[in-house]
Structure formats: C-alpha cells, structure tokens
Amino acid sequence: MGDGVSEVIRWSAFSCVVVPVVLLWYGTSLPGATGTALGLAAVTGVCRILLRQSERGAARLRGEERAPHRGRHHRTGTGAHRGGRRPGGATPVD
C-alpha cells in the first residue's frame, strides 16, 4: 500500500482504540463503548479493502497507459495505413 493509505489505516486503527477509552472515561457504558469500537473496526476494514481495490485499479491503468495497444484497430508506428480516403482515387464515374 502507498504511504498515504498506510497512514490513514494506522490513524483509523488508533481511533478504534482511543474512542472507546474516551467514551468510557466520560461515563458511557461498557457495551456502548464496545459497540462503538466494533463499528469503527468494521468501517476501518471496509475502507482498507476499498483503498486496496482503488490502488490496484490505478496501478492497472498506469500499466495500460505505458504499454501501447497493438490490436487490429490500434496500430502504432509509422508507415502506410490501410483504408481511408485517397485523394483523387475514389471519384464517381458518369
């Protein structure tokens, strides 16, 4: 994972620990703080999965941009092209 993504995940994991402690400190019940911790952990897990998929997609796009397409309709390089219009060669005959 990228540096920015890793940092976001670390801060999210840190909040999964700190938030329930602060809630307990201010008098929230243990089940309430536990539920909050589990909810934050679930959101963090889903965000991590989505960030990984996003990075893979971006890497795939960068790879496709570097490699030229050499298919039937995506010819690269110079030279004579097939088809198309030729000046003076396709005039109608009366």
Side-chain angles (χ1 to χ4, degrees):
M1 282 191 284
D3 291 335
V5 174
S6 296
E7 192 169 332
V8 168
I9 298 299
R10 274 190 244 125
W11 277 107
S12 299
F14 177 72
S15 72
C16 290
V17 175
V18 171
V19 169
V21 170
V22 170
L23 288 174
L24 287 172
W25 183 267
Y26 281 100
T28 304
S29 66
L30 183 61
T34 303
T36 301
L38 291 174
L40 287 171
V43 169
T44 300
V46 169
C47 288
R48 183 177 185 206
I49 290 168
L50 292 173
L51 285 168
R52 277 189 171 181
Q53 286 180 349
S54 176
E55 281 188 331
R56 286 184 195 140
R60 186 173 37 245
L61 285 176
R62 282 191 302 266
E64 288 176 0
E65 288 175 357
R66 289 184 193 142
H69 294 284
R70 292 190 172 268
R72 180 176 174 184
H73 297 289
H74 299 283
R75 298 175 193 265
T76 59
T78 59
H81 295 278
R82 294 183 178 176
R85 298 183 180 229
R86 293 181 187 89
T91 56
V93 179
D94 286 314

